[in-house]
Amino acid sequence: MDALALTGRCFQGQCSRLRRFLAFSFSPVPTARRTLKALDDALADVVWLLRISSPHADMLGLPNLLRGDPKLFLVWDHIARVRHGSPAVRADSASVLASLARDSPRFAELIVEEDGVRPLVNLIKAGNDGGKEAAATALGLLGCDEESVDGLLRADVCFVCAAALKEPSMSVQAAVAEAIALLAHHNHRLQDSFAQTDALHLLLSHLDDSSRTSNGPSGDQPETKARMKAMAAKAVWKLARGHVAVCQSITESGALLCFARFLDRGGVGSEMRFYSAMTIMEITRAAELNLALRQSAFKPAAKAAVTDQILRIVREDDDPLLLPCGL
């Protein structure tokens, strides 16, 4: 049934090379011998489709319709594994798809074109921690063009990623936050879509030690927690970039005090200080152009004290990472 459904989707207007394979395989040919050869090839391709639709079948081998494009075979093969494999196989293939997308924009486009977004989204929803982390990493690399962005939005990637920030695993939270940062950086529509979720609220809560308790493994907890907080700060920066409403929400939440603490904390990592500085710069830049934000962010006495603290840190600290705050 999965194979029939997969074949049926080929004729529903989706941008997939697979939907053209039957038309290609059964195209008119002038001789009986060539007709028989085309039928044999088409039957072999159908057998391959049945094999990749089975969760337990060996999916090695290249179908006839992909002999001229082995890159596409890699994408199809690992999308099928993400869709139907065991938890370990799904996580491993999601990692492979992430590596392919990172190595080449063309691979990223193919993953979206060949219906790879939905299996990755489903893996974030229902995979093990390794699968969720790998799927988030892969999805973060797919917003490379407008057509890909359309596919991501249709799959509700922004809402799924926002929900995944509630996962107890800090490594999953870090991967999801980094994916949000990448997607928001590459496309303003994705940035707007994230702004309509509770992603910003959850990211800011991850930066506030008093609002969370930790369930990560004790051996990896300090490093994993540091990475999670750094990626949360990076995502907040990318969501705030050129977005007045996000900047307004950050200031109203009292998070400026959090960022001021990160700037002033000697033990915090350089990434965290840099992302905090860049977020403050984005809020300042937006406030220069928006009177309401300027009045709400910096005029009240309580927030003015935070502003004075930030300025003091920047003036007294010669760390070049803090230069954006003084711009």
Side-chain angles (χ1 to χ4, degrees):
M1 292 301 295
D2 286 337
L4 291 175
L6 182 62
T7 305
R9 285 200 300 273
C10 298
F11 297 95
Q12 294 176 1
Q14 294 186 11
C15 183
S16 170
R17 196 174 306 184
L18 182 59
R19 76 169 184 266
R20 299 191 294 272
F21 109 87
L22 287 178
F24 169 80
S25 298
F26 292 105
S27 57
V29 288
T31 66
R33 181 175 298 177
R34 291 179 61 188
T35 299
L36 291 175
K37 177 64 167 61
L39 287 171
D40 287 340
D41 289 345
L43 287 173
D45 290 336
V46 171
V47 170
W48 185 83
L49 283 174
L50 291 170
R51 288 171 60 203
I52 68 170
S53 296
S54 170
H56 304 295
D58 175 16
M59 292 183 282
L60 297 177
L62 197 65
N64 295 300
L65 72 160
L66 296 181
R67 301 244 177 234
D69 194 349
K71 289 183 178 180
L72 186 57
F73 166 70
L74 281 176
V75 171
W76 278 11
D77 185 32
H78 287 290
I79 288 175
R81 293 173 188 268
V82 171
R83 190 186 297 271
H84 297 293
S86 66
V89 168
R90 296 176 77 193
D92 182 67
S93 284
S95 295
V96 173
L97 290 176
S99 296
L100 293 174
R102 185 180 294 109
D103 291 342
S104 167
R106 179 55 184 152
F107 271 123
E109 292 172 5
L110 284 174
I111 292 169
V112 178
E113 289 175 5
E114 302 306 322
D115 201 22
V117 173
R118 290 284 181 186
L120 291 170
V121 166
N122 291 335
L123 187 55
I124 287 185
K125 292 179 178 179
N128 57 25
D129 285 350
K132 291 176 180 180
E133 186 176 349
T137 301
L139 288 169
L141 298 165
L142 298 185
C144 51
D145 57 70
E146 287 299 319
E147 189 171 334
S148 296
V149 169
D150 289 338
L152 293 170
L153 291 174
R154 284 195 299 269
D156 291 328
V157 163
C158 298
F159 290 92
V160 171
C161 285
L165 290 171
K166 301 175 184 177
E167 290 287 332
S169 167
M170 287 189 177
S171 60
V172 173
Q173 292 170 6
V176 171
E178 185 172 24
I180 291 173
L182 287 171
L183 293 172
H185 172 79
H186 285 299
N187 191 273
H188 186 70
R189 286 197 294 151
L190 290 170
Q191 184 187 22
D192 279 338
S193 184
F194 279 119
Q196 297 170 25
T197 71
D198 60 350
L200 179 64
H201 168 74
L202 292 168
L203 290 166
L204 293 174
S205 73
H206 291 344
L207 297 175
D208 185 357
D209 291 329
S210 65
S211 68
R212 290 187 46 79
T213 58
S214 170
N215 298 318
S218 58
D220 296 333
Q221 182 178 337
E223 296 81 4
T224 305
K225 183 176 181 180
R227 171 169 168 74
M228 180 272 292
K229 291 170 75 72
M231 291 303 100
K234 181 180 181 180
V236 171
W237 164 34
K238 296 299 184 178
L239 290 174
R241 194 178 59 149
H243 203 293
V244 173
V246 171
C247 292
Q248 184 89 38
S249 296
I250 294 172
T251 59
E252 290 175 353
S253 71
L256 276 178
L257 179 58
C258 252
F259 290 119
R261 288 172 181 165
F262 293 138
L263 294 182
D264 200 21
R265 190 178 300 171
V268 76
S270 59
E271 277 189 319
M272 178 64 77
R273 297 193 92 196
F274 175 72
Y275 297 144
S276 299
M278 296 303 292
T279 302
I280 293 170
M281 181 190 72
E282 291 297 339
I283 294 171
T284 304
R285 179 181 292 167
E288 288 178 352
L289 304 175
N290 187 282
L291 177 61
L293 175 59
R294 189 160 62 248
Q295 291 175 336
S296 65
F298 303 111
K299 290 296 183 182
K303 293 178 181 176
V306 176
T307 306
D308 291 339
Q309 181 181 358
I310 293 172
L311 291 175
R312 176 187 60 77
I313 294 168
V314 173
R315 288 166 181 163
E316 295 177 0
D317 197 318
D318 59 358
D319 189 342
L321 290 174
L322 303 185
L323 285 177
C325 291
L327 296 179

